[in-house]
Amino acid sequence: MKLVRFVNFLIVISVILFFDGCKKKQQNTAINPATIGQITLQMTDVMVHDVTNPPLSSRFFSYALLAGYEVVAQNDSAYESMHGKLNDFPVVSKPAVENYAYQLAAALAMLETAKKMQPSGALLQKYQDRLLDSCKTLGFDEETIAGSQQYAVEISKQILKYAKADKYNRISNFPRYEPKGAPGTWFPTPPGYFPPVEPFFGTIRPFTLNAASQFKPEPPVAFSESKSADFFHLMKMNYDDKNDNAEHQVIAAFWDCNPFALENKGHLLVGMKKISPGAHWMGITDIACKQAKADFGKTLLVTTSVAIGLMDSFMTCWDEKYRSNRIRPETAIRKYIDPTWRPFLQTPPFPEYLSGHSVISASSAAILTHYFGENFAYTDTVEERFNLKARKYNSFWAAANEAAISRFYGGIHFMDAIDNGVIQGKEVGNWVIGKLGGSKGKSLAEVSNKSLVN
């Protein structure tokens, strides 16, 4: 009997040591924080493929990142769930999975969510396969990989349910938005004369805002055909700019980010592949996180915060666009000053006031400055793959202000839409930070590293 007990004791000790050894081995196998930026880049490529509009792009980014972030929050005590911070965000149940690597599960949860939400999301499967192959090379065993996948799928299902409840899918049931036809109101512009983009985006559930109209700006300068009116002076500012300053053209092109741009090819109009303005700021976020050497959790926190800010910023901006419904410079100047005038950039297909670039850039700058500080110098290489040279900035606000004024240089926005857009974007960005509360009230630098695998 004593011999049997002794043998059983040895077996128990062996099992404990075995699993303890496996745990220690797997704890040293981390997922590169740059994987988060790689996933948002892959999502961006799918958006370019699908010609996803700017507001909708922010929605895709937000939910995918939320899926990844909730995995981290369940496994790292330095981070809190978004429950109680975001509107109607549920208590996300932790999957009953024993063997998984939570960083891998977080990355896979992002991919699983994006694959389901993006029209061509299936294209992300190739990247996911490469990611899993790299994990095998790093030393992840099959059981851990399978458990991480199971964990990711179960988290993604809960986030997708939350996404469906934002009522975006009901927009297709709304009556078709038609131009008003009144003087001073928006009308489709050449060369594509596209219908208005996302006229009802402000009706869906925001993440942190009380309502899309929460930061309603002051009204735009009143339309008037009189040459002595303030509106005519706004038109003259755009007209007199002449669109011929070489540096201004470089700035305008760098921040163009127009997914709807067309190019004349003889008798054909060919679509030009470009990222959305939100995707550009997601790229900037990736650059900042890498430069700051942020770890996996920190990178996911910052990137998720920026994505949420983009979504709520687009909502506030689009709410105003379809309220004021103001005419674009291209339409106004050609009708009231010079019928041959053309802007340097193509006019996007939606009303003019406010400037979307101004709003979302200011919001992103406010959030990134919160995490990285006022004087975070960096080089923006996001547009290099679209054959545009990198630009250097001394701060996120320097970049945001340049992005805003680029819309004037491009001839597609009036100055009051730019100035008031920056104001609204800053208000939204500060509001988002206040609602999210950082990570348990800690600054980015104070968030500690935790174990990587359960």
Side-chain angles (χ1 to χ4, degrees):
M1 180 63 70
K2 289 183 179 180
L3 179 61
V4 173
R5 289 179 179 176
F6 180 71
V7 170
N8 288 338
F9 172 77
L10 289 178
I11 292 173
V12 171
I13 292 298
S14 298
V15 169
I16 291 174
L17 290 174
F18 173 78
F19 282 107
D20 186 58
C22 289
K23 183 176 181 182
K24 289 180 179 178
K25 178 183 177 182
Q26 292 181 9
Q27 281 179 335
N28 293 323
T29 308
I31 296 296
N32 191 327
T35 302
I36 296 165
Q38 291 169 4
I39 293 173
T40 57
L41 180 61
Q42 295 295 318
M43 290 180 64
T44 295
D45 287 344
V46 174
M47 292 174 194
V48 171
H49 175 276
D50 291 343
V51 195
T52 305
N53 67 63
L56 185 56
S57 295
S58 70
R59 182 172 179 266
F60 292 155
F61 283 132
S62 297
Y63 287 115
L65 283 157
L66 274 172
Y69 178 81
E70 284 300 302
V71 175
V72 170
Q74 289 181 347
N75 292 276
D76 187 335
S77 61
Y79 301 95
E80 293 179 326
S81 169
M82 290 295 176
H83 175 66
K85 298 182 180 184
L86 304 184
N87 296 328
D88 301 330
F89 194 79
V91 175
V92 178
S93 300
K94 187 173 183 178
V97 179
E98 293 185 1
N99 298 304
Y100 64 94
Y102 83 84
Q103 292 183 353
L104 176 57
L108 293 173
M110 289 176 61
L111 287 164
E112 289 296 332
T113 305
K115 285 193 298 183
K116 295 294 192 300
M117 293 192 71
Q118 295 187 246
S120 297
L123 295 174
L124 295 168
Q125 186 61 48
K126 289 184 178 179
Y127 172 80
Q128 182 169 323
D129 292 340
R130 294 198 302 271
L131 174 63
L132 294 178
D133 285 340
S134 70
C135 287
K136 295 175 184 177
T137 303
L138 286 172
F140 286 93
D141 60 53
E142 293 289 347
E143 188 176 7
T144 298
I145 292 175
S148 301
Q149 289 180 294
Q150 181 184 347
Y151 196 120
V153 169
E154 292 188 29
I155 292 293
S156 179
K157 286 180 180 178
Q158 296 178 70
I159 298 299
L160 288 169
K161 183 178 180 180
Y162 174 63
K164 185 176 181 179
D166 73 5
K167 300 180 181 179
Y168 180 82
N169 59 356
R170 298 187 183 183
I171 286 179
S172 60
N173 297 324
F174 291 174
R176 181 184 177 90
Y177 186 92
E178 298 290 347
K180 307 302 182 198
T185 60
W186 177 82
F187 195 81
T189 50
Y193 295 95
F194 291 119
V197 168
E198 299 289 6
F200 304 107
F201 197 73
T203 66
I204 68 176
R205 179 195 60 213
F207 281 118
T208 68
L209 303 173
N210 298 326
S213 59
Q214 181 174 344
F215 295 106
K216 183 178 178 181
E218 64 179 64
V221 170
F223 172 78
S224 174
E225 298 180 17
S226 171
K227 291 186 177 182
S228 62
D230 290 341
F231 184 78
F232 188 84
H233 293 312
L234 279 180
M235 284 196 297
K236 280 286 289 176
M237 286 177 66
N238 287 78
Y239 182 71
D240 292 342
D241 188 62
K242 302 300 182 185
N243 302 327
D244 59 1
N245 182 292
E247 177 62 14
H248 290 182
Q249 289 181 355
V250 169
I251 292 171
F254 186 77
W255 291 102
D256 184 17
C257 306
N258 181 6
F260 311 98
L262 297 171
E263 183 177 358
N264 285 302
K265 295 286 188 180
H267 297 291
L268 297 175
L269 287 175
V270 179
M272 301 167 65
K273 295 292 187 179
K274 296 184 180 183
I275 62 175
S276 69
H280 192 146
W281 278 99
M282 293 300 285
I284 292 171
T285 302
D286 181 43
I287 290 170
C289 289
K290 289 177 180 176
Q291 184 172 314
K293 294 182 172 56
D295 65 15
F296 191 90
K298 298 171 189 177
T299 299
L300 196 46
L301 168 66
V302 175
T303 311
T304 304
S305 300
V306 171
I308 288 170
L310 287 172
M311 172 80 163
D312 281 2
S313 296
F314 272 118
M315 289 193 66
T316 58
C317 182
W318 254 241
D319 174 72
E320 178 56 40
K321 278 185 179 292
Y322 289 96
R323 177 175 30 254
S324 54
N325 196 33
R326 188 163 75 170
I327 193 172
R328 284 279 184 171
E330 180 170 11
T331 308
I333 292 173
R334 291 176 67 178
K335 184 172 184 178
Y336 299 109
I337 298 180
D338 180 355
T340 66
W341 186 83
R342 295 285 190 280
F344 176 68
L345 298 179
Q346 280 185 30
T347 302
F350 33 81
E352 189 272 342
Y353 189 86
L354 297 162
S355 158
H357 270 58
S358 302
V359 177
I360 68 107
S361 296
S363 172
S364 299
I367 294 169
L368 289 170
T369 299
H370 168 78
Y371 287 117
F372 296 112
E374 292 284 348
N375 301 307
F376 189 92
Y378 68 97
T379 300
D380 183 347
T381 58
V382 172
E383 296 284 351
E384 282 187 331
R385 64 197 191 105
F386 296 97
N387 301 315
L388 294 170
K389 291 183 179 180
R391 294 183 65 80
K392 295 182 179 181
Y393 300 98
N394 293 324
S395 69
F396 299 114
W397 280 112
N401 290 331
E402 185 180 272
I405 196 63
S406 75
R407 312 311 272 170
F408 175 78
Y409 295 157
I412 59 177
H413 273 294
F414 298 118
M415 279 305 301
D416 63 336
I418 292 168
D419 292 338
N420 292 329
V422 170
I423 293 172
Q424 185 189 72
K426 187 173 185 178
E427 290 175 331
V428 174
N430 289 337
W431 175 265
V432 168
I433 287 298
K435 294 292 286 187
L436 299 187
S439 179
K440 291 197 173 180
K442 299 178 182 179
S443 68
L444 183 65
E446 294 173 319
V447 179
S448 60
N449 293 321
K450 300 293 179 181
S451 61
L452 303 177
V453 176
N454 283 2

